[in-house]
Amino acid sequence: MKRVTIGDVATHAGVSTATVSRVINGGVVAEATATRVWDAITSLEYSPNALTKSIFAGRSSTIGVVIRDLSSPFYLDLIRGIDEVAAANDSLVMLANTFRRDDRETAQVRAMDEQRVRGLIVTTGVTADSHTRRMADNGTPCVIVSRIVPGMHSISLNNVRAGELMAAHLAACGRTSVGVVTASRRPSQIERVQGLSARAVTVAETTEDVPDAVDALLGGNDRLDAIVCTSGRLTAAVHSALTGRGIAIPDDIAFLAVDEFPWAEALGVTVIAQPTYDMGRKAAELVIECPDEPVSLVFEPALIARTSCGEVSS
Amino acid sequence: MKRVTIGDVATHAGVSTATVSRVINGGVVAEATATRVWDAITSLEYSPNALTKSIFAGRSSTIGVVIRDLSSPFYLDLIRGIDEVAAANDSLVMLANTFRRDDRETAQVRAMDEQRVRGLIVTTGVTADSHTRRMADNGTPCVIVSRIVPGMHSISLNNVRAGELMAAHLAACGRTSVGVVTASRRPSQIERVQGLSARAVTVAETTEDVPDAVDALLGGNDRLDAIVCTSGRLTAAVHSALTGRGIAIPDDIAFLAVDEFPWAEALGVTVIAQPTYDMGRKAAELVIECPDEPVSLVFEPALIARTSCGEVSS
DNA sequence: TTGAAAGCGCTAACAT
DNA sequence: ATGTTAGCGCTTTCAA
């Protein structure tokens, strides 16, 4: 069960470990020696130890990703984008989910630091920021996603614009009394609501809170003609709360959501889409390129009009 | 930018590196010394290098996961299950997507081997099996998901039963002429079709192939009264191909899919659900427990009846 | 209870 | 072109 080491290969090929290392990493070696070494490598099924290699490089070749909530549709494409860039750069992706728990967020960031990841991409809340910043100070390129943090790289959406886009679309569809279900007091959520100038706003932390939130909206003083959900994580819950109450979309109430999802087309749900995949790619590229000055990239949202707001086809 | 090492801590605390190591890993140390060391650790912001640690342990504490296609709804919950168990065992998850390309599959498995992962969970095709087996032989606990491979740990679904469940349900709904869209010649797909005893079967490798596949089914000699899609990855495409052709579900044709997805409820799509999350947990537990004899766990599918097959409420 | 010293598997000067 | 040697940051005997 003992692992084959570079030393075994060296002995088998009758050379020194240095030569084996050179063969593997492309140094100057005589053709004949190289062949002997490769033969030894294959016949012994030698697999180099990336961990030990990393010790010399000072850090590993892995990109760390800390995700707050893997169940949000936003993240799958983000990860895909990151993964693709990583694969193109011979990096692997180390993933950690924090289940929306602050203590796990700091723990996971710390774990990534201990793993000496090549770079770190996080979608954490503010709690983990001090740890992340410390990592950045120690030379690990860190990218914050979905939030702008001064002095650090960040990838985010123009959330105010997203709100405005929604407001404009709703207005164009003749809806004037808008109710909002929003996820939390995170900046991104707040900004979206800001651009929205809504009549009523309720907060639902989890999907379990959604039915109550929807009831609150529906039972308010204003008679609403549109409901928007600013969190992709809650969209399904809001939608089914609405239809479950016998509300017809868009005849009774218009429905507008943030974040594209695979079934939006089938359901005719109009959404604000983030260029999630590109954001993931960009985040990974930032890690690879590792610019000296903090760069803060803001992506523009796009409205994908379907039928849930009572759109009239042009 | 030089990283703080255990040596720096030792100097700062006026002890040897051995003592620092003992303090961190819980050896026998005098209380007073321990305090001094902890003070040094915090004041220097020392972060232990997990890579170096791993080279002593022989392997890292990370669990490797190689996923064939991150876009399939099946995998998010699988990853969540794995991640949860990993987190509970102080492990991180290293994720690699292979984009359904055989060459990338072997490359990623090899990469995981080089990373000396604590264990490996793969949903790859057969191409990577020889590599995976080699890893297993070298002492890395490996778990194959979605396929049974002799001599190796595996987690899979009772696919034949899934097919039978579908057939029975369709029959109960009075549907007798069933057409199937299946994804590929992978065993899991074939077994599902087996249990199904369908009138017509077409294969769609990717979502792009789906429209043609559906046309082939619809244009066949038999007049079908049910379409089932045996691949979660293709469900959305099949559904929209159907509705896009003006076909009413379930009035014109019943629709039945494999793999639960967040919007199934909203759309009323009847599905065969896999206990994906539990499968992920079990896979990770297998990696942690590392049983000597190969264990092959087969999970049972469950039908979630909604309305897409013209179900009559009891 | 602690320190000195010998590794873990590999790379990178420096010789030859 | 190749071998020798000294590390990388840490753990782990073995003495003291």
Side-chain angles (χ1 to χ4, degrees):
Chain A
M1 212 68 116
K2 193 81 195 60
R3 275 275 186 179
V4 178
T5 73
I6 202 174
D8 300 326
V9 176
T11 317
H12 195 93
V15 295
S16 74
T17 60
T19 302
V20 176
S21 175
R22 276 190 283 257
V23 170
I24 293 172
N25 303 302
V28 244
V29 236
E31 188 130 342
T33 336
T35 324
R36 283 215 321 287
V37 172
W38 280 121
D39 285 351
I41 287 177
T42 49
S43 82
L44 292 178
E45 295 186 349
Y46 169 66
S47 153
N49 186 331
L51 268 46
T52 321
K53 271 192 163 133
S54 303
I55 290 190
F56 285 85
R59 42 184 63 266
S60 87
S61 65
T62 301
I63 296 178
V65 181
V66 178
I67 300 277
R68 228 173 121 70
D69 186 355
L70 222 34
S71 57
S72 170
F74 175 80
Y75 294 120
L76 237 200
D77 266 336
L78 189 83
I79 294 171
R80 289 238 300 284
I82 294 170
D83 188 85
E84 191 148 314
V85 172
N89 287 275
D90 297 309
S91 272
L92 287 164
V93 174
M94 223 154 111
L95 190 72
N97 189 17
T98 67
F99 305 99
R100 315 186 71 77
R101 284 177 42 194
D102 282 342
D103 59 327
R104 294 229 46 86
E105 299 213 340
T106 57
Q108 301 287 35
V109 169
R110 192 198 314 266
M112 292 294 177
D113 191 17
E114 295 184 356
Q115 294 289 328
R116 299 292 188 267
V117 289
R118 168 178 188 169
L120 184 65
I121 298 170
V122 298
T123 68
T124 60
V126 286
T127 325
D129 279 359
S130 58
H131 282 269
T132 310
R133 192 179 298 273
R134 191 173 306 160
M135 278 185 74
D137 291 345
N138 278 326
T140 309
C142 297
V143 182
I144 315 263
V145 174
S146 281
R147 226 153 27 92
I148 296 179
V149 178
M152 302 188 66
H153 303 311
S154 68
I155 299 277
S156 60
L157 187 76
N158 188 338
N159 286 297
V160 175
R161 179 99 188 89
E164 293 168 352
L165 234 40
M166 293 191 272
H169 183 72
L170 254 13
C173 293
R175 310 289 168 145
T176 53
S177 185
V178 179
V180 178
V181 179
T182 183
S184 64
R185 278 113 193 146
R186 297 196 79 201
S188 59
Q189 294 288 316
I190 294 171
E191 289 163 19
R192 289 171 194 176
V193 176
Q194 240 168 50
L196 211 36
S197 65
R199 195 69 65 94
V201 178
T202 49
V203 175
E205 285 293 339
T206 71
T207 49
E208 273 101 68
D209 305 334
V210 165
D212 287 348
V214 168
D215 283 337
L217 242 32
L218 260 26
N221 292 327
D222 294 299
R223 184 184 258 92
L224 304 174
D225 55 15
I227 300 270
V228 355
C229 174
T230 59
S231 158
R233 186 167 50 89
L234 304 179
T235 305
V238 174
H239 185 274
S240 70
L242 254 22
T243 53
R245 278 160 187 68
I247 293 167
I249 297 173
D251 297 340
D252 297 334
I253 286 185
F255 181 59
L256 182 48
V258 173
D259 282 350
E260 173 72 328
F261 55 95
W263 289 90
E265 186 66 39
L267 287 157
V269 175
T270 298
V271 299
I272 292 287
Q274 307 189 42
T276 321
Y277 172 82
D278 287 334
M279 293 166 82
R281 287 197 63 104
K282 223 34 193 158
E285 283 165 9
L286 237 38
V287 161
I288 307 274
E289 290 160 14
C290 193
D292 286 335
E293 290 307 304
V295 348
S296 176
L297 261 30
V298 178
F299 285 70
E300 290 302 319
L303 188 132
I304 303 178
R306 293 197 254 249
T307 59
S308 66
C309 299
E311 286 84 351
V312 284
S313 53
S314 52
Chain B
M1 212 67 116
K2 193 82 195 60
R3 275 273 185 180
V4 177
T5 74
I6 202 176
D8 299 327
V9 176
T11 318
H12 195 92
V15 295
S16 74
T17 60
T19 302
V20 177
S21 174
R22 277 189 282 259
V23 170
I24 294 172
N25 303 302
V28 241
V29 235
E31 187 133 342
T33 336
T35 324
R36 283 215 321 288
V37 171
W38 280 120
D39 285 351
I41 286 176
T42 50
S43 81
L44 292 178
E45 294 185 349
Y46 169 67
S47 154
N49 186 332
L51 267 42
T52 321
K53 269 191 162 131
S54 302
I55 102 169
F56 282 87
R59 41 184 62 267
S60 88
S61 66
T62 301
I63 295 178
V65 181
V66 178
I67 299 279
R68 228 173 120 71
D69 187 354
L70 222 35
S71 57
S72 170
F74 175 80
Y75 294 121
L76 237 199
D77 266 336
L78 188 85
I79 294 172
R80 289 237 299 284
I82 295 170
D83 189 86
E84 193 149 312
V85 172
N89 287 276
D90 297 311
S91 271
L92 286 164
V93 173
M94 225 157 109
L95 191 72
N97 189 17
T98 67
F99 304 100
R100 316 186 71 74
R101 284 177 42 195
D102 283 342
D103 58 329
R104 293 228 47 84
E105 299 214 340
T106 56
Q108 301 286 36
V109 170
R110 192 199 314 265
M112 292 295 178
D113 191 17
E114 295 185 356
Q115 295 288 328
R116 299 292 187 267
V117 289
R118 167 179 188 169
L120 183 65
I121 298 169
V122 299
T123 69
T124 60
V126 286
T127 326
D129 278 0
S130 58
H131 283 270
T132 309
R133 191 179 297 272
R134 191 173 306 162
M135 278 184 74
D137 291 345
N138 278 326
T140 309
C142 296
V143 181
I144 314 260
V145 174
S146 281
R147 225 154 26 95
I148 296 179
V149 178
M152 302 188 66
H153 303 312
S154 68
I155 300 277
S156 59
L157 187 76
N158 187 337
N159 286 297
V160 175
R161 178 99 189 91
E164 292 167 355
L165 234 40
M166 293 193 272
H169 183 73
L170 255 11
C173 293
R175 310 289 169 147
T176 52
S177 185
V178 178
V180 178
V181 179
T182 183
S184 63
R185 277 115 194 146
R186 298 196 79 201
S188 60
Q189 294 289 314
I190 293 171
E191 288 162 21
R192 289 172 194 176
V193 175
Q194 238 167 52
L196 211 35
S197 67
R199 195 69 64 94
V201 179
T202 49
V203 175
E205 284 293 339
T206 71
T207 50
E208 273 101 68
D209 305 335
V210 165
D212 287 348
V214 169
D215 283 337
L217 241 34
L218 261 26
N221 292 328
D222 294 300
R223 185 184 257 92
L224 304 174
D225 56 15
I227 299 272
V228 355
C229 174
T230 59
S231 158
R233 187 165 49 88
L234 303 179
T235 305
V238 174
H239 185 274
S240 70
L242 253 24
T243 54
R245 277 160 186 69
I247 293 167
I249 297 171
D251 296 340
D252 297 334
I253 287 186
F255 182 60
L256 182 48
V258 173
D259 282 351
E260 173 72 327
F261 55 95
W263 289 90
E265 185 65 40
L267 288 157
V269 175
T270 297
V271 300
I272 292 287
Q274 306 189 43
T276 322
Y277 173 81
D278 287 334
M279 291 166 83
R281 286 197 64 103
K282 223 38 194 152
E285 282 164 11
L286 238 37
V287 161
I288 307 273
E289 289 159 15
C290 193
D292 285 335
E293 290 308 303
V295 350
S296 177
L297 260 32
V298 177
F299 285 71
E300 290 303 318
L303 188 134
I304 303 178
R306 293 198 256 249
T307 59
S308 66
C309 299
E311 285 85 351
V312 284
S313 53
S314 54

